[in-house]
Every structure is written in structure tokens, then in C-alpha cells.
């Protein structure tokens, strides 16, 4: 093995892979078998975060940064003048095993530019995973990026070796895709997603009959969208997400703010990065859809196409729907408790447990750990202190922002001053 050349390839292909954020390793339950290497159920440290906030280490590389396509937003596009490299299948296998043995990594995230065509590339990605599993007896985590347009047969094989599969939709709207990635068609993403979903269902039902049936892609599938490259509103982005979660049973949709990398009149200019807060708000909305029982139409719609950056989406919804409040903490159902700003699902659970034994008052709620600076305006409990009524949404927002540590507070207060909204507020 030529170590200098491998090192050079690693530099190039690890750097090119850093733009892909869809590599959380959560959800897999693969355990060590036959005294093999690795155990993806007990992941540890490094480059990526799981759903529950753990940081795990994956060797995150591209098989190659050669590509036949010319997607405007991508560093790897064929017209971009960069140093190119490609790993051989065996090189990726050896690197993974060597890094694993040295305790640098706990798994592999393998993506690729497209050499020749989709199947030619996908075959090589699958070959890496197959060798790791069958020749090296590697039981660590493997996330394979599926190549848009790859055949059903290769997609089926990929899920037998990988823990997670993902096909990146990249651009949330068809119009944006046409503009920035004219070589790609939306069906090229949708077809493999549908295939993965069907295989997961089929293997699961076969396993019920035949115990030895393998689990297909045990950590499911995910996708990534680039935000801010093609002008979609937050509503367009999140409706696409909601569709993917429902239609393809996605485990996760990732939102990656576009980083301007080139002078191209179709794209935002260099120096106009998507604010981190926009990504955060999209993730919060995603969370509300998946765990809090919100429907996307409640959070984003024609009248409200973009998320507010200065307050979180649940508070924003509550301020637009004050007729649902205050909620009686001692009587409300789980769904309504989860809608109170400042109360997370863990607190909802604790409230439901605690109120079996006593009526809850402010002191109890504080002890449960709810965020009082937001919650106090939206609930009633077994005490009258703090109880507030008949405030407008603007007044509530001002009160909450005045007591929060948000970095947007200063900007919001200035804005209110301009409209004279900072007049003393009445209390009831
Ligand atoms: S196909 Fe993928 S790697 Fe190739 S240019 Fe488009 S986004 Fe980049």
C-alpha cells in the first residue's frame, strides 16, 4: 500500500464529504456476532451527533469526488476545478478496519460522486459494505449514501449490508432542482426511497415467519436538503419533509444551510451564508411534527410561510392561537400539555404522573423543571400567582423576550420601541 497516496486521497475525499450532514448513526441495533469487529449498538464519540445528542465517530469519506454531473451547489461538480481522487474498494475496507482497530472510529459513512453512471458507482459502494461484513466480519455501523438512479437490485443488496441508507433530495423543490441540478430528476430520488421503504416492510414481515431473515437497513433511511440555495420558503421545505416522513417512513430529514462556494448567478452570492438560526428553527419544527403531534399546516401556511427567527415555532404557534389558552395543567390531555410553550415531552410525562397524586401548583411545576418564563402565560394551575389574562400576542412576546436570554432580544426591543409597543403592560 502506498501510504503517502492513501493519505493524500484521504485528505481530498474526507474534505469533500464534510458538506453532507446526514450521517447520524442513531437507531441501529446491530450487535457483535461471531467474535467479529465492532458493535454499532454501543456507539461513542466524534464527528456526528445522534438523535439523543450522543457524539459518535464515523470515518466519513467519499469513494470518489469525480462526478459526471454538474450540480451548481456542489463542490464536487464536474466543472469545478479541484483536485480529484478515487479510492479502490479494498482501500476503503482497509482504512475502515485499521481506523477501527486503532479506536479512531466506530463506523463508516460512505458517499460518492458519480463515476460513469449510477449503477457503476453504487456497485462499488455496496462492494465495500459487503467486504466489511462478509470478509472482515465487521459489525460496526455502516451508513451508505445511495446514488440517485441506482437499480432496484443494488438498492436491495445495499440494505442487507448497511445499517442506514440515504438518498439526498438536496433541493427541496422540483423547480429549484431543475435550475441547479439539471442532470437530475426528482424520480431518481423518489424511486430508491420507495424501494428502501418497501424492502424494510417486506423483510420485517418475512422475519415474522422465518426468524433467520436478516433485518433490512435496521437504522432505516434518511435524507438531506440544502437550505437557502434555491429560494424556497420554510413552508416549502417543511411540507417536503412532512411528505417524506409520511410517504417513505424516513428516520430523519437533515437541513443543511447552503454555503456559497462559487460565483454563479443562479445561486446566492459568496458571503451570504444561511444564518444558523434558520437551520435551528427548521429542526425545531421537524421535532414538533415528529414528537409533539403538530400538523405542518398549523405551523406553516400561506399566511405564515416562514418561521420567525426571534422565537421558537411552538411559541410562535401559541401566540397566533391564543384562543386555546390558558391550558389547565391539572385537567388537559397530553396533546394540549405538549402545546404549552416551555413544556417539553419529558415534562408532559412528569406532569401526567405527578397530577395523579395531587393538584399541581407553580412550585410543583418549577420542581418538574418547566421553563416558567414562557409557560406561565399559557397555563393555569392550583395557584393564582403569576396568573395573567387578556394580553395581546405582541405584549406576551415582549414580556417573554424581555426575560429570555435570546440573542434576538435586543433587536426585538428596538423594533418594539419603533412602534411604541413597549408601553407599560397591565397585569391582571
Ligand atoms: S451528483 Fe452529487 S456529487 Fe455529483 S455534482 Fe451532483 S451533488 Fe455533487
Amino acid at each position: 500500500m502506498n501510504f503517502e497516496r492513501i493519505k493524500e486521497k484521504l485528505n481530498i475525499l474526507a474534505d469533500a464529504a464534510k458538506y453532507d450532514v446526514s450521517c447520524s448513526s442513531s437507531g441501529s441495533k446491530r450487535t457483535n456476532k461471531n467474535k467479529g469487529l465492532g458493535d454499532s449498538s454501543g456507539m461513542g464519540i466524534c464527528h456526528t451527533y445522534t438523535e439523543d445528542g450522543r457524539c459518535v465517530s464515523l470515518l466519513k469519506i467519499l469513494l470518489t469526488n469525480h462526478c459526471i454531473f454538474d450540480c451548481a451547489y456542489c463542490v464536487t461538480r464536474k466543472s469545478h476545478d479541484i483536485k480529484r481522487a478515487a479510492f479502490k474498494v479494498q482501500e476503503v475496507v482497509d482504512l475502515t478496519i485499521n481506523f477501527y482497530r486503532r479506536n479512531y472510529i466506530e463506523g463508516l459513512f460512505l458517499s460518492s460522486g458519480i463515476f460513469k453512471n449510477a449503477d457503476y458507482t453504487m456497485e462499488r459502494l455496496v462492494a465495500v459494505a459487503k467486504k466489511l461484513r462478509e470478509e472482515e466480519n465487521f459489525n460496526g455501523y455502516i451508513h451508505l449514501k445511495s446514488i440517485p438512479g441506482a437499480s432496484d437490485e443494488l438498492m436491495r443488496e445495499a440494505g442487507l449490508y448497511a445499517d442506514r441508507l440515504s438518498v439526498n433530495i438536496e433541493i427541496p423543490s422540483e423547480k429549484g432542482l431543475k435550475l441547479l441540478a439539471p442532470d437530475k430528476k426528482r424520480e431518481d430520488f423518489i424511486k430508491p426511497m420507495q424501494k428502501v421503504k418497501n424492502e424494510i416492510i417486506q423483510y420485517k414481515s418475512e422475519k415474522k415467519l422465518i426468524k433467520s431473515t436478516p433485518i433490512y437497513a435496521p437504522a432505516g433511511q434518511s435524507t438531506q436538503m440544502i437550505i437557502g440555495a434555491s429560494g424556497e420558503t420554510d413552508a416549502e421545505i417543511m411540507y417536503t419533509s412532512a411528505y417524506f416522513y409520511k410517504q417513505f417512513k424516513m428516520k430523519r430529514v437533515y437541513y443543511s444551510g447552503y454555503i456559497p462556494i462559487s460565483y454563479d448567478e443562479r445561486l446566492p452570492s459568496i458571503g451570504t451564508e444561511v444564518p444558523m438560526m434558520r437551520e435551528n428553527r427548521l429542526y425545531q419544527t421537524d421535532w414538533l411534527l415528529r414528537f409533539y403531534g403538530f400538523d405542518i399546516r398549523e405551523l406553516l401556511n400561506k399566511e405564515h410561510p416562514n418561521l420567525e427567527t426571534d422565537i421558537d415555532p411552538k411559541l410562535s404557534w401559541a401566540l397566533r392561537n391564543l384562543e386555546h389558552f390558558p391550558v389547565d395543567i391539572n385537567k388537559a390531555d397530553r396533546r394540549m400539555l405538549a402545546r404549552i410553550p416551555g413544556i417539553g415531552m419529558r415534562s408532559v410525562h412528569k406532569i401526567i404522573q405527578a397530577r395523579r397524586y395531587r393538584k399541581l401548583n407553580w412550585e410543583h411545576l418549577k420542581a418538574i423543571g418547566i421553563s416558567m418564563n414562557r409557560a406561565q402565560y399559557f397555563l393555569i394551575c392550583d395557584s393564582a400567582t403569576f396568573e395573567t389574562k387578556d394580553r395581546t400576542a405582541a405584549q406576551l412576546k415582549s414580556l417573554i423576550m424581555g426575560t429570555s436570554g435570546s440573542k434576538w432580544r435586543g433587536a426585538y426591543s428596538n423594533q418594539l420601541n419603533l412602534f411604541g409597543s413597549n408601553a407599560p403592560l397591565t397585569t391582571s
Side-chain angles (χ1 to χ4, degrees), residues 59-318:
L59 171 61
K60 182 178 173 183
I61 48 172
L62 299 188
L63 187 65
T64 179
N65 66 343
H66 288 279
C67 194
I68 54 170
F69 285 175
D70 206 31
C71 310
Y73 48 83
C74 179
V75 272
T76 303
R77 68 189 184 279
K78 72 175 174 200
S79 63
H80 197 197
D81 185 16
I82 50 163
K83 228 173 177 179
R84 307 276 173 177
F87 279 123
K88 292 178 186 149
V89 168
Q90 191 59 45
E91 287 172 341
V92 179
V93 172
D94 292 343
L95 270 176
T96 309
I97 296 300
N98 283 329
F99 279 18
Y100 189 85
R101 288 207 166 111
R102 287 180 165 81
N103 222 5
Y104 297 163
I105 56 153
E106 293 157 291
L108 171 69
F109 172 87
L110 186 61
S111 182
S112 186
I114 305 177
F115 301 100
K116 287 193 188 178
N117 58 49
D119 276 354
Y120 184 87
T121 313
M122 193 71 207
E123 249 171 51
R124 274 144 192 79
L125 297 180
V126 172
V128 169
K130 187 174 179 176
K131 268 179 177 277
L132 280 168
R133 296 288 190 226
E134 293 191 347
E135 293 175 20
E136 304 293 339
N137 200 11
F138 180 72
N139 289 299
Y141 184 84
I142 299 178
H143 179 160
L144 284 190
K145 184 51 64 68
S146 318
I147 303 298
S151 70
D152 281 0
E153 186 45 42
L154 284 166
M155 289 306 298
R156 197 189 64 80
E157 224 189 322
L160 294 176
Y161 301 114
D163 292 274
R164 174 165 285 183
L165 294 171
S166 58
V167 190
N168 283 356
I169 186 79
E170 306 289 11
I171 300 296
S173 70
E174 219 162 339
K175 180 178 64 163
L177 191 69
K178 216 172 195 177
L179 179 73
L180 300 178
D183 302 310
K184 288 179 175 169
K185 292 192 291 296
R186 203 168 167 86
E187 307 90 82
D188 295 341
F189 307 104
I190 300 299
K191 224 178 115 228
M193 284 178 187
Q194 187 66 51
K195 175 75 182 164
V196 173
K197 179 192 146 189
N198 293 344
E199 293 290 352
I200 290 173
I201 294 170
Q202 196 183 328
Y203 273 82
K204 258 188 196 160
S205 69
E206 277 174 26
K207 196 162 181 64
K208 281 182 196 154
L209 302 173
I210 308 163
K211 269 222 147 66
S212 58
T213 305
I215 302 175
Y216 183 89
Q221 61 174 330
S222 61
T223 190
Q224 171 184 275
M225 280 192 264
I226 297 173
I227 306 309
S230 42
E232 286 85 5
T233 61
D234 291 339
E236 286 174 284
I237 294 162
M238 292 312 304
Y239 274 72
T240 305
S241 275
Y243 172 75
F244 285 156
Y245 279 125
K246 193 163 173 234
Q247 193 65 24
F248 305 114
K249 304 271 177 280
M250 285 284 157
K251 278 275 178 201
R252 288 292 304 267
V253 176
Y254 293 88
Y255 310 92
S256 173
Y258 173 65
I259 302 164
I261 41 156
S262 59
Y263 295 97
D264 184 323
E265 58 186 26
R266 293 171 294 172
L267 287 162
S269 51
I270 288 180
T272 57
E273 276 86 15
V274 173
M276 184 71 92
M277 188 52 77
R278 186 172 182 204
E279 272 182 43
N280 288 349
R281 295 296 182 226
L282 291 168
Y283 278 113
Q284 286 171 330
T285 308
D286 184 290
W287 209 255
L288 292 180
L289 296 181
R290 290 192 294 142
F291 302 113
Y292 284 72
F294 277 88
D295 185 284
I296 185 62
R297 290 166 293 189
E298 296 177 279
L299 300 168
L300 289 159
N301 44 52
K302 259 193 194 150
E303 293 72 46
H304 188 68
N306 285 304
L307 298 164
E308 290 170 76
T309 45
D310 54 354
I311 53 173
D312 67 77
K314 190 158 83 164
L315 176 57
S316 170
W317 174 83

